[in-house]
Amino acid sequence: MDTVTAFTILCLLIVEARIIPDNYSKERRALLDEETLTAVGGKQHLNEDETIANDILMKWKMNELNESYINPQHFNFSKHYFSYKKDIEKSKVYQIIKRMPKGAVLHVHSSLMLSADVLVKLTYEDHLYACYSHDDVRLYFSETTPDRPCPTKWDLVSELRNSSGDPAAFDSQLKKYFTLDKDDGEDYNFVDINTVWKRFDKVYFAIKSLISYRPVREKYWYETLQQFYDDNIMYIEIRSGLQSLYELDGTKHNKKYLLDLYKKVTEKFIETHPDFIGVKLIITKHRAQSIDQVLEALNMARRLKVEEPDMIAGFDLVGQEDIGRPLTDFLPALSEAKGDINFYLHAGETAWLGTSADENLVDAILLGSKRIGHGYALTKHPSLMSAVMKKDIALEVNVISNVVLSLVHDVRNHPLASYLAMGAPVVLSSDDPGAWSAEPLSHDFFVAFMGVASKHADLRMLKQLALNSITYSALDDEGKARLLKVFNERWDRFVRDVITDVSLLDTNVV
Amino acid sequence: MRSVILAVLPILFIHAKCDDKYHEKRKQLVELELRMALGGNSTLNDKENIVNNCLMQHKFNELDYGFDNPDHYNLSHHFFNYRKQIQKSKVYKIIQSMPKGAVLHVHDMAIIGPDYFVNLTYMDHLYVCFGKPIKFWFSYTVPNTTCDGDWKLMKDVRKAAANVTQFDADLRKHFTLVCDNPDVVYPSIKETWDTFMGYFTSVFGLLSFRPNWEQYFYDALKLFRADNIMYVEVRSILPNLYELDGTVYDKIITAKAYRKAINKFLKDYPDFLGAKLIFAPSRKVDAKVLDSYIQTARHIKRDMPDLYAGFDLVGQEDLGNPLIEFVPQLLQAKDLNFFFHAGETNWFGTLTDENLVDAVLLGAKRIGHGYALAKHPALMREVIKKDIGIEVNVLSNAVLSLVKDVRNHPLNIFLSLDLPVVLSSDDPGAWEADPLSDDFYVAFVGVASRLADLRMLKGLALNSLKYSALKAEHKVRAIREFNSRWNDFVNHFDCKSY
């Protein structure tokens, strides 16, 4: 062998040493492909137009994420939602998601769906009295000063507003009672879960006192439907305890009245928005109530299910899970009702492992819950996780809610990342968007897509999540088919919009 | 009347039967999960049960207090805020006196806390440069290395200080990340890692002074032993040691200094099982430098086979080179035994995250951190199949800004799946934590299930030996020795003394 050949061989060897061998690359590719295929949306196929739209979406996603990867001190999603909420609108990815049809919202509490700004507008209705006590407000509509307890005194809101000298300032003060986001720079990372829930309950009671008045509730509900519709949502399942509404003269309606009101207003809404599919109710009771009270609510739900089978989806228990009663307390009643009504139970909305709230997951599964509300703790329970996969029980995940209600700080640590990776039956929802003035669903989709999901997650995941919300809804087959048809039409239009939108063309021109 | 009762009875009976069946099923599910978890399949003997009852009683007390008063639940806050309070915990005290096996993931320059370094600054011939960060160098003459200030003799600076106690207290701050208001000082991972890297720059000159190096590791081993640890695998970049006259040695000398310190320690403390070295240079290098590292590793492995455990690459994973860039070279070096850092990130789907794929495919014996693993079902399966140890460092992940509330640390998923987990402490000196007990405590009370008990603690300790780099026969000996110490601990346990 002459020296030249030897030298050539040596060079080849060196070069070879710097190249990744084929079998390694293949094995690596296989593992990564397996993960991509397993993940939510992994089996979706994109058509030609969708592929182009996806390229545009991913170009912006990479652009925005790479920026944060290089400057993690600016990475929004590692901070509290309130600190970056205002910046969301600037994101091109968000603008695309906002326009995207998202199917249905399946986990949302009926009184906390509308943002504080709109609620303030509702306080312009006539005859509204307010009772302010140190950090609380109660509202009541009445022809004369309400004959109800008030630690201070009842005043007409219109008079207070007029005599304040600055109605705008008055309204912005009033607004603070309707939202957890006080915009006062407080670092919510230091607020513990019980304190947050106390504030949350306070917001709930303030809003409830405003919308218990029948005419306002009608407006509230119409406006809510409009906002959800504008956020590209075509069907909603609301959780409601069916409170009794009242009239100006003090007449009180029964609980069923509110169900009829939801039905009536929704039908009116559909008249002008014919592609909106409708609303169903999941009847709820607070889990801190007595066993008898829960039983009573459960029986009401069963009765209503018989009377209004199309309006009633099922039954659930609500309220802070850690300190409320565990599902086991209500077992006999729930077991017995199982055949009459479907369950959509909150379970595992907790950061604690091995506590009763955590074990609610066991009962939700054993009771045959159709979906599980939150299921935040599920990743820590491998056998329950596999039961959920096997029984195809959908998980209603509400990322922003879990941040605001103090379960997680940096959303990248949210268990949704694992659920998405495993291809679990996930639906994204927003829980109480009104309580923190979030968009009906787009903010949750955005944070999940950018902050929680893999960097590689793309339009296929978004589409799958939207489709999941149809698949796992309480609609019957015919209803699902109608919803799917509406969704597909809107989806095609959305895709065409994205690929023809000049403002999305160049990432360099911002 | 009678007929009514007769008619009702079967209904009641059916209900009762359904109910029983439900409760039975429920119990099975809950028990299945506990049995599946790490340590769940082992049984405790009578004496161990006594320890366990005491341990669990205290654990429930502490947890239930936190559950009822979440505003006072320490473990959901920053470690710096509750660091000192841990020592009052009875669970902590039990864990401290419990044999914990080995520490398998720890970086040598951050084992002993800040006071040790303050003491070193009293040595002769020490120069200091008050730059950002502060630097030190031992030398007969003014050091000629660059610094963003002037090199001054430490002795002179201290003499000129108005108040030496205050001076030393200020100096001490350069040797620790601990502060009173961590959430303000460290708003993001950037500030944390900047300070953390500054720490290493500051202690570098103090430690790589040859006489200090040997003594330092000897003193570190003392600390481990005092924390009931019997064996250590230490990661080192193997700094080039230097002398007062400016002599600088190569990395082989550093390895030899290790061997010397370990042998001396074993002679003085024959009950200690030993220590091994994982050569872990920076991942922020090019292919050529990596070649030289691989050569050094081979050299040490050949000359000091008992000292050498394996090879790793270190530094903030998000900013360093991903493993994929080094795959061609590393595939040729599998004889070195890999213990790669991988997935120490919460960025999902990035190159850092995908280091996990390469760590698995390159045949790593263990993975450092693997924080991102729970987001990768296929990789998790491979880790179980290949029985790759996962070195989990909860406090490190909390301090270095991956997670705030440790209840969201993926360790709880690993534990519930009985992944091959070993608990370690990464850089305990840099945040003034114990060599291992603080990490064990936080993992046991803050991360694991409320119901996890002594069986999990014992399982974790045994894992640390099982997944060590000890040779088979040494491993058997180590486990035997551990069992005998464990029995001592159990036999002499007195609940009242905690």
Side-chain angles (χ1 to χ4, degrees):
Chain A
M1 198 196 292
D2 60 56
T3 46
V4 178
T5 322
F7 181 74
T8 315
I9 290 170
L10 192 68
C11 283
L12 280 173
L13 279 174
I14 289 169
V15 170
E16 198 181 51
R18 296 286 188 248
I19 291 173
I20 300 173
D22 276 354
N23 57 346
Y24 186 92
S25 299
K26 255 162 97 181
E27 239 186 299
R28 190 174 197 277
R29 198 63 261 158
L31 272 173
L32 289 172
D33 284 350
E34 184 193 337
E35 295 220 323
T36 311
L37 204 65
T38 309
V40 169
K43 293 179 188 73
Q44 282 286 333
H45 286 286
L46 300 179
N47 64 29
E48 216 174 295
D49 280 354
E50 285 174 323
T51 307
I52 301 171
N54 191 37
D55 289 345
I56 296 170
L57 172 76
M58 292 308 279
K59 191 177 65 179
W60 287 107
K61 179 173 179 178
M62 292 304 154
N63 208 31
E64 290 173 24
L65 278 186
N66 288 340
E67 175 66 29
S68 337
Y69 189 79
I70 298 161
N71 300 301
Q73 67 274 31
H74 302 139
F75 183 67
N76 284 332
F77 308 114
S78 64
K79 306 205 166 97
H80 196 277
Y81 169 65
F82 293 164
S83 70
Y84 62 79
K85 202 169 96 183
K86 282 193 196 121
D87 297 328
I88 292 182
E89 302 228 324
K90 288 182 221 147
S91 155
K92 292 278 182 189
V93 173
Y94 174 75
Q95 291 162 20
I96 294 172
I97 285 175
K98 175 86 194 153
R99 290 149 72 171
M100 186 185 85
K102 287 167 278 287
V105 165
L106 301 184
H107 184 116
V108 66
H109 296 274
S110 61
S111 301
L112 299 168
M113 294 169 76
L114 200 52
S115 62
D117 288 321
V118 189
L119 292 171
V120 168
K121 282 188 199 137
L122 293 175
T123 65
Y124 277 80
E125 294 288 317
D126 282 343
H127 310 297
L128 178 59
Y129 284 85
C131 162
Y132 286 93
S133 57
H134 64 294
D135 59 345
D136 219 351
V137 72
R138 280 290 170 280
L139 301 165
Y140 197 75
F141 288 89
S142 178
E143 268 178 303
T144 54
T145 308
D147 181 21
R148 298 165 72 85
C150 170
T152 53
K153 72 186 209 354
W154 288 102
D155 289 303
L156 260 177
V157 171
S158 54
E159 277 173 15
L160 289 176
R161 183 179 280 123
N162 286 338
S163 61
S164 71
D166 187 351
F170 176 84
D171 284 353
S172 80
Q173 276 306 112
L174 187 58
K175 185 179 145 186
K176 288 188 179 168
Y177 293 101
F178 299 143
T179 176
L180 279 168
D181 182 8
K182 311 278 190 241
D183 202 15
D184 56 3
E186 179 182 15
D187 192 338
Y188 260 75
N189 287 334
F190 297 103
V191 186
D192 71 275
I193 190 164
N194 285 2
T195 307
V196 169
W197 271 88
K198 267 180 210 135
R199 293 184 191 179
F200 177 67
D201 286 340
K202 220 169 240 176
V203 166
Y204 167 69
F205 283 115
I207 293 173
K208 191 180 163 191
S209 75
L210 172 68
I211 64 175
S212 295
Y213 179 49
R214 195 263 314 153
V216 166
R217 177 66 67 124
E218 282 175 1
K219 286 185 181 152
Y220 167 87
W221 188 240
Y222 195 91
E223 190 59 42
T224 298
L225 290 174
Q226 187 66 53
Q227 295 215 347
F228 275 62
Y229 184 86
D230 291 344
D231 205 27
N232 268 300
I233 290 145
M234 294 297 120
Y235 168 74
I236 313 173
E237 286 174 18
I238 56 170
R239 281 167 162 87
S240 168
L242 290 185
Q243 58 176 121
S244 358
L245 304 183
Y246 66 91
E247 300 285 345
L248 196 57
D249 61 10
T251 319
K252 279 191 89 174
H253 297 286
N254 64 13
K255 286 174 182 283
K256 167 97 181 342
Y257 185 90
L258 180 54
L259 174 64
D260 294 335
L261 182 148
Y262 281 132
K263 191 177 169 185
K264 193 182 76 192
V265 175
T266 307
E267 277 165 3
K268 193 176 140 216
F269 183 80
I270 290 174
E271 276 172 27
T272 47
H273 305 80
D275 57 352
F276 188 75
I277 298 297
V279 169
K280 280 189 199 293
L281 270 76
I282 295 166
I283 304 297
T284 61
K285 192 69 188 172
H286 201 285
R287 62 185 335 118
Q289 303 280 335
S290 74
I291 292 169
D292 284 344
Q293 282 167 312
V294 167
L295 185 63
E296 195 184 312
L298 185 57
N299 286 334
M300 176 182 76
R302 290 159 96 174
R303 233 175 21 248
L304 291 173
K305 174 80 192 164
V306 175
E307 287 172 39
E308 294 281 356
D310 286 345
M311 280 301 283
I312 303 295
F315 183 76
D316 186 14
L317 290 156
V318 300
Q320 189 182 354
E321 234 181 299
D322 278 341
I323 57 177
R325 287 171 187 273
L327 288 175
T328 44
D329 279 16
F330 308 114
L331 263 188
L334 291 171
S335 270
E336 205 246 334
K338 219 163 105 176
D340 299 341
I341 192 145
N342 287 330
F343 296 139
Y344 297 88
L345 297 168
H346 275 73
E349 185 186 4
T350 182
W352 294 100
L353 178 55
T355 58
S356 65
D358 182 48
E359 284 181 8
N360 278 341
L361 284 167
V362 180
D363 297 294
I365 291 167
L366 288 179
L367 286 166
S369 197
K370 295 286 167 199
R371 300 191 301 259
I372 288 176
H374 294 286
Y376 186 88
L378 195 64
T379 39
K380 305 164 189 174
H381 297 281
S383 64
L384 301 182
M385 190 77 224
S386 63
V388 160
M389 300 287 277
K390 213 169 70 194
K391 298 184 176 188
D392 205 21
I393 303 170
L395 302 171
E396 305 163 345
V397 176
N398 310 285
V399 176
I400 293 175
S401 164
N402 298 150
V403 171
V404 175
L405 296 178
S406 229
L407 289 186
V408 63
H409 300 284
D410 187 330
V411 293
R412 291 174 297 176
N413 291 318
H414 193 288
L416 171 63
S418 295
Y419 304 151
L420 292 174
M422 295 170 77
V426 170
V427 296
L428 291 190
S429 200
S430 50
D431 209 4
D432 312 282
W436 35 86
S437 301
E439 288 292 301
L441 188 58
S442 288
H443 280 181
D444 275 274
F445 251 76
F446 176 68
V447 173
F449 183 60
M450 294 292 278
V452 186
S454 168
K455 194 177 173 193
H456 304 302
D458 59 13
L459 192 63
R460 293 173 301 165
M461 180 178 281
L462 292 175
K463 189 177 184 184
Q464 186 67 57
L465 285 166
L467 288 171
N468 280 357
S469 73
I470 300 172
T471 308
Y472 297 102
S473 72
L475 287 165
D476 58 14
D477 288 347
E478 193 250 319
K480 280 182 194 174
R482 266 178 63 220
L483 178 53
L484 186 62
K485 188 162 170 279
V486 169
F487 172 80
N488 281 334
E489 282 163 15
R490 285 182 160 249
W491 182 266
D492 291 343
R493 208 154 61 222
F494 155 73
V495 169
R496 275 195 308 276
D497 274 2
V498 168
I499 63 181
T500 52
D501 185 341
V502 235
S503 76
L504 292 173
L505 277 183
D506 193 354
T507 40
N508 298 317
V509 188
V510 181
Chain B
M1 185 65 189
R2 166 171 275 211
S3 63
V4 172
I5 292 173
L6 280 178
V8 168
L9 257 181
I11 297 171
L12 278 178
F13 184 65
I14 289 164
H15 269 195
K17 224 173 107 187
C18 280
D19 243 27
D20 280 355
K21 226 173 105 195
Y22 184 95
H23 285 291
E24 198 185 304
K25 244 182 165 176
R26 187 180 196 282
K27 209 172 138 225
Q28 275 173 3
L29 256 178
V30 173
E31 278 171 5
L32 172 71
E33 292 241 312
L34 288 174
R35 230 180 15 255
M36 277 169 74
L38 200 151
N41 230 347
S42 61
T43 45
L44 299 175
N45 63 32
D46 291 349
K47 291 234 163 104
E48 284 173 323
N49 270 321
I50 295 172
V51 180
N52 196 36
N53 289 340
C54 176
L55 175 76
M56 293 310 281
Q57 185 201 327
H58 291 310
K59 180 176 177 179
F60 288 153
N61 279 345
E62 287 178 26
L63 270 183
D64 294 348
Y65 178 79
F67 186 86
D68 293 336
N69 305 282
D71 46 332
H72 292 132
Y73 182 60
N74 284 331
L75 304 193
S76 66
H77 298 133
H78 198 289
F79 172 62
F80 297 166
N81 295 336
Y82 64 82
R83 194 173 59 86
K84 285 194 178 134
Q85 289 166 56
I86 290 185
Q87 287 163 20
K88 286 186 224 141
S89 153
K90 305 212 169 178
V91 176
Y92 168 78
K93 286 178 187 161
I94 296 172
I95 284 174
Q96 202 184 31
S97 56
M98 180 189 90
K100 286 170 284 289
V103 166
L104 301 183
H105 185 117
V106 66
H107 297 274
D108 55 1
M109 293 212 242
I111 298 171
I112 311 183
D115 296 324
Y116 190 86
F117 294 112
V118 173
N119 275 337
L120 290 183
T121 65
Y122 276 87
M123 291 172 70
D124 280 342
H125 307 298
L126 178 63
Y127 283 85
V128 61
C129 171
F130 287 92
K132 244 188 171 186
I134 194 170
K135 284 184 188 168
F136 301 91
W137 204 256
F138 289 96
S139 178
Y140 284 128
T141 54
V142 179
N144 49 20
T145 44
T146 52
C147 88
D148 17 295
D150 294 327
W151 284 108
K152 290 176 189 156
L153 255 181
M154 189 67 195
K155 204 185 281 175
D156 297 343
V157 180
R158 186 173 273 122
K159 209 181 278 169
N163 177 341
V164 173
T165 316
Q166 187 56 45
F167 177 82
D168 282 357
D170 290 340
L171 195 61
R172 187 184 185 279
K173 288 182 189 151
H174 297 285
F175 304 128
T176 178
L177 268 68
V178 173
C179 60
D180 292 335
N181 47 351
D183 296 293
V184 178
V185 177
Y186 306 113
S188 82
I189 195 167
K190 185 186 182 302
E191 291 81 6
T192 329
W193 271 87
D194 283 352
T195 311
F196 187 47
M197 289 293 110
Y199 163 90
F200 284 109
T201 309
S202 296
V203 302
F204 185 84
L206 292 170
L207 284 182
S208 57
F209 180 44
R210 200 258 318 147
N212 285 357
W213 185 259
E214 290 169 11
Q215 186 59 41
Y216 170 78
F217 195 63
Y218 182 94
D219 293 335
L221 291 176
K222 252 191 191 162
L223 272 184
F224 284 118
R225 185 176 168 275
D227 203 23
N228 278 301
I229 288 145
M230 47 198 252
Y231 168 76
V232 178
E233 284 174 17
V234 66
R235 279 167 164 88
S236 179
I237 62 165
L238 294 180
N240 299 89
L241 303 184
Y242 70 97
E243 302 278 5
L244 283 174
D245 62 6
T247 313
V248 177
Y249 304 104
D250 65 23
K251 292 184 183 307
I252 304 298
I253 297 295
T254 319
K256 283 186 175 154
Y258 256 119
R259 190 171 59 176
K260 197 169 142 194
I262 295 166
N263 285 339
K264 181 163 178 274
F265 188 81
L266 287 175
K267 223 170 104 194
D268 295 347
Y269 301 96
D271 61 348
F272 197 74
L273 292 189
K276 283 187 193 289
L277 168 76
I278 295 169
F279 177 39
S282 165
R283 65 185 323 123
K284 238 179 157 174
V285 294
D286 59 25
K288 229 171 100 191
V289 177
L290 180 64
D291 274 339
S292 77
Y293 288 157
I294 289 174
Q295 265 177 25
T296 305
R298 286 231 167 84
H299 189 157
I300 299 169
K301 190 178 179 223
R302 189 190 60 218
D303 289 1
M304 294 169 260
D306 289 337
L307 177 71
Y308 182 86
F311 185 78
D312 183 16
L313 292 165
V314 301
Q316 188 182 359
E317 242 185 290
D318 285 338
L319 303 181
N321 294 329
L323 285 175
I324 184 72
E325 283 187 22
F326 301 131
V327 161
Q329 285 159 283
L330 293 171
L331 273 175
Q332 310 289 324
K334 281 169 105 168
D335 54 306
L336 287 180
N337 289 341
F338 297 141
F339 297 90
F340 288 127
H341 275 72
E344 184 185 4
T345 184
N346 39 26
W347 286 103
F348 186 13
T350 58
L351 285 170
T352 321
D353 184 49
E354 285 170 9
N355 277 339
L356 282 168
V357 184
D358 296 298
V360 168
L361 290 178
L362 287 167
K365 307 276 175 206
R366 295 193 306 260
I367 287 175
H369 294 286
Y371 186 89
L373 196 62
K375 300 170 186 174
H376 295 280
L379 297 179
M380 205 125 80
R381 182 195 62 217
E382 295 299 308
V383 159
I384 295 170
K385 203 168 78 187
K386 297 184 173 172
D387 204 20
I388 302 171
I390 306 294
E391 306 161 346
V392 176
N393 310 284
V394 176
L395 286 179
S396 163
N397 300 149
V399 172
L400 296 178
S401 298
L402 288 187
V403 63
K404 269 185 207 264
D405 186 331
V406 293
R407 290 175 296 177
N408 290 316
H409 193 289
L411 170 63
N412 51 33
I413 299 173
F414 304 160
L415 292 174
S416 66
L417 284 165
D418 193 15
L419 250 53
V421 168
V422 296
L423 291 189
S424 201
S425 51
D426 211 5
D427 308 277
W431 36 84
E432 302 182 49
D434 294 331
L436 189 58
S437 287
D438 282 331
D439 273 273
F440 247 75
Y441 171 77
V442 172
F444 182 61
V445 178
V447 186
S449 168
R450 179 176 182 270
L451 306 172
D453 61 12
L454 189 65
R455 292 172 302 165
M456 183 177 277
L457 291 177
K458 190 179 179 185
L460 284 165
L462 281 168
N463 272 359
S464 73
L465 299 170
K466 186 177 167 199
Y467 294 95
S468 72
L470 284 167
K471 283 199 205 77
E473 69 265 28
H474 292 153
K475 215 177 260 186
V476 172
R477 224 188 72 206
I479 291 172
R480 202 185 305 132
E481 178 60 27
F482 171 82
N483 283 331
S484 113
R485 285 185 204 187
W486 180 266
N487 290 338
D488 276 354
F489 161 69
V490 171
N491 290 335
H492 296 110
F493 186 83
D494 176 11
C495 192
K496 287 193 290 290
S497 69
Y498 291 98

